[in-house]
Amino acid sequence: MRTYDKKGRLIFTRRMKKTHTLLMPMMLPVHFELIRRALELHGYKAVLLKNSGPEVVEEGLRSVHNDACYPALLVIGQLLDAVKRGGFDENRIALMITQTGGGCRASNYIHLLRKALKRNGLEHIPVVSLNTAGMEKNPGFKLTLTLLARMIVSTIYGDLLMLLHNRCRSYEITPGDADRMVDKWQDILGRDYSKARNLRVKRIKVNFRRICEDFAKIPLDITEKPRVGVVGEIYVKYAPLGNNNLEKFLLSEGCEIVVPGLVDFIRYMVENQIQDNIIYGTGYFKRRAFEYARKLIDSLRGYMSKCVAEYEQFAPVAPVPFENITKYAQKLVSLGNKMGEGWLLSGEMLELIHQGVPNIVCTQPFGCLPNHIVGKGMIRPIKRMYPEANIVAIDYDPGATRVNQENRIKLMLVNAKEGLFEKAKQSVGIREKSVEYANH
């Protein structure tokens, strides 16, 4: 028997928690696998979807209006493709999707998904909203403090694993070493935070150090390579399905990949809440809560950065303090720019340049107005401030061809490799002058 609310929304009931499997769309493989394990610890059956390919895009195009942004097409297309061709029992599955609120069109994904299910005769499948604002509630799914803590910890661990994984796989002597290390630590962490006491800050810091120690054992051959940063709209920046396996392509071109962490986006949202209080005078206690969250996140980010910087081979990718990113962003835009990735996107590009990563791919869904303003629109001002900046903006949408996207990135990489060549020439010239001076 199905239960509906007053508005006709199908409810995910307590009984469904025992009988139904939650299907989760993929964005970040490492982070989302840890989040999936956190859900299982709280009694939910969860599956992280890995289906991809043109079928997913076609499913999205058939079921979602083409005026919706590209991530909506892909997320909804992946869920529908899994329902139709994934071998699941339609009567024993539910679909989970995030709901952020605010001015971004992502807030409407959940409504577009329900409309798509109805169009395909699948309206009997419940949709569960994952949100922290209480926008939609279901008796069978509750975001408790412990579950929320496990999800946030999953994000922080995921960032560290992603950071070290990207650094190591660019230089590993034995292919696959970095992948195997990630798999090992996903298993360790999944078992570790099965006990709530291991969610404490002290335990997290111990694990940070252990993770860095293990990755430091991977034999690396760190040669001079173009370092390429990836920024942009949160889905296409991270999801291989959204960016046509951008990281794999950059690796094949002999690059080191540097991707800002997901916890930075959480920290950005916390900062926005504090700025709202400063500008609009929202509740005092609410502000105090977010200031505490800011302090906790900054403490964990700082300790993670310290652990990474202790190893010479990882030091170049150690995250900078988040307050630096905020200061960088304010050189270009107001902190009032908080639609989509807002001022964080501008700040991340400047952060990468300050980290010695002037080569940047700015990924964005075609038609995503906020990201075109704070991403593509900031490229010229950034280049005026930092002439060495080598940035290319790539649009992702159903009509864009992969070949065209990769060719534009290759042009950027030509400049990156020429920059390395000039740097090497200057280095040789300095050494030759030093030798000549010594002989003289």
Side-chain angles (χ1 to χ4, degrees):
M1 182 178 176
R2 301 187 183 98
T3 305
Y4 297 85
D5 67 7
K6 294 179 181 179
K7 296 182 179 180
R9 176 174 65 89
L10 180 59
I11 300 295
F12 184 76
T13 63
R14 291 186 180 89
R15 182 174 176 274
M16 287 178 176
K17 180 179 178 180
K18 299 177 182 178
T19 60
H20 283 52
T21 298
L22 292 169
L23 304 187
M24 302 166 53
M26 172 69 81
M27 186 173 78
L28 281 148
V30 177
H31 299 65
F32 276 36
E33 174 57 25
L34 290 172
I35 290 172
R36 184 195 68 78
R37 295 184 188 206
L39 288 167
E40 287 188 339
L41 289 172
H42 288 259
Y44 301 99
K45 300 173 185 176
V47 172
L48 185 58
L49 300 180
K50 298 179 181 178
N51 51 323
S52 60
E55 300 83 5
V56 168
V57 180
E58 290 300 318
E59 193 64 61
L61 285 170
R62 281 195 298 269
S63 305
V64 182
H65 193 284
N66 62 6
D67 189 44
C69 58
Y70 190 45
L73 293 174
L74 293 179
V75 168
I76 295 171
Q78 187 177 43
L79 288 166
L80 288 175
D81 180 69
V83 170
K84 292 181 178 180
R85 288 172 281 276
F88 299 102
D89 182 348
E90 291 179 11
N91 296 306
R92 291 184 174 271
I93 57 174
L95 310 183
M96 174 172 279
I97 191 167
T98 55
Q99 193 177 11
T100 59
C104 179
R105 283 181 288 181
S107 301
N108 296 315
Y109 286 8
I110 194 165
H111 307 296
L112 293 172
L113 176 56
R114 288 196 177 104
K115 188 174 181 180
L117 288 171
K118 187 174 182 180
R119 185 175 295 166
N120 285 273
L122 299 167
E123 61 266 38
H124 57 279
I125 298 176
V127 179
V128 178
S129 169
L130 180 61
N131 72 85
T132 57
M135 286 181 284
E136 284 194 4
K137 297 180 180 179
N138 292 279
F141 181 82
K142 291 186 178 180
L143 193 58
T144 63
L145 285 176
T146 307
L147 176 55
L148 182 60
R150 283 194 169 103
M151 287 183 168
I152 293 173
V153 170
S154 296
T155 301
I156 295 170
Y157 282 141
D159 278 355
L160 179 57
L161 291 174
M162 179 178 72
L163 184 80
L164 298 179
H165 177 246
N166 281 337
R167 178 68 172 174
C168 289
R169 68 174 172 166
S170 302
Y171 303 102
E172 61 189 3
I173 294 173
T174 306
D177 274 355
D179 291 339
R180 286 186 286 272
M181 191 62 72
V182 168
D183 292 340
K184 171 187 172 180
W185 271 101
Q186 280 182 330
D187 290 337
I188 292 172
L189 295 172
R191 293 192 302 271
D192 188 74
Y193 65 14
S194 61
K195 297 177 181 177
R197 67 172 181 268
N198 289 337
L199 298 174
R200 296 172 183 170
V201 171
K202 183 177 180 181
R203 180 65 178 183
I204 295 169
K205 289 182 175 181
V206 168
N207 283 335
F208 282 171
R209 192 162 293 282
R210 291 171 62 205
I211 291 169
C212 290
E213 286 173 357
D214 257 11
F215 272 90
K217 295 173 185 174
I218 296 176
L220 304 178
D221 178 19
I222 299 181
T223 53
E224 196 74 22
K225 287 185 177 184
R227 304 182 69 207
V228 180
V230 179
V231 299
E233 189 274 332
I234 191 168
Y235 183 84
V236 295
K237 172 169 70 173
Y238 291 128
L241 178 61
N243 58 37
N244 287 329
N245 283 294
L246 175 59
E247 291 186 17
K248 185 178 180 181
F249 168 72
L250 290 172
L251 277 174
S252 71
E253 292 292 316
C255 302
E256 178 192 344
I257 305 151
V258 183
V259 186
L262 181 60
V263 79
D264 288 3
F265 186 78
I266 297 173
R267 175 66 173 79
Y268 153 77
M269 292 192 292
V270 167
E271 189 65 34
N272 287 340
Q273 293 294 328
I274 296 170
Q275 291 299 319
D276 281 351
N277 177 268
I278 295 170
I279 297 170
Y280 305 114
T282 53
Y284 170 79
F285 292 105
K286 183 178 180 181
R287 175 177 174 176
R288 294 294 293 172
F290 281 107
E291 285 176 339
Y292 174 78
R294 176 173 67 182
K295 183 178 179 181
L296 180 61
I297 292 171
D298 285 350
S299 171
L300 289 172
R301 279 185 88 258
Y303 192 80
M304 178 176 72
S305 180
K306 179 184 176 183
C307 290
V308 171
E310 286 177 1
Y311 297 90
E312 185 180 355
Q313 64 268 48
F314 302 146
V317 295
V320 303
F322 193 85
E323 62 183 21
N324 289 17
I325 301 174
T326 307
K327 290 175 183 176
Y328 297 153
Q330 287 178 299
K331 293 180 180 180
L332 293 171
V333 296
S334 162
L335 297 188
N337 289 277
K338 58 189 183 70
M339 291 298 105
E341 282 59 49
W343 56 265
L344 176 66
L345 178 48
S346 302
E348 283 182 340
M349 288 193 282
L350 293 177
E351 174 198 13
L352 287 167
I353 293 169
H354 280 268
Q355 280 187 305
V357 188
N359 313 298
I360 301 171
V361 180
C362 184
T363 64
Q364 48 201 25
F366 180 76
C368 182
L369 185 59
N371 284 280
H372 275 67
I373 293 170
V374 294
K376 193 172 185 178
M378 291 299 107
I379 292 176
R380 182 174 291 180
I382 289 173
K383 286 185 175 180
R384 282 202 297 265
M385 294 167 61
Y386 302 94
E388 72 275 19
N390 180 28
I391 309 171
V392 61
I394 304 294
D395 288 335
Y396 290 88
D397 71 277
T401 65
R402 183 171 185 162
V403 171
N404 183 50
Q405 291 164 344
E406 292 181 351
N407 281 342
R408 293 192 62 214
I409 295 170
K410 284 181 179 180
L411 286 174
M412 182 272 286
L413 293 178
V414 168
N415 293 331
K417 291 171 182 177
E418 285 179 356
L420 280 181
F421 179 69
E422 289 299 321
K423 182 180 175 182
K425 276 175 57 180
Q426 291 175 9
S427 178
V428 170
I430 291 170
R431 286 199 301 271
E432 287 177 347
K433 287 181 179 179
S434 298
V435 171
E436 181 181 344
Y437 178 79
N439 291 336
H440 178 72

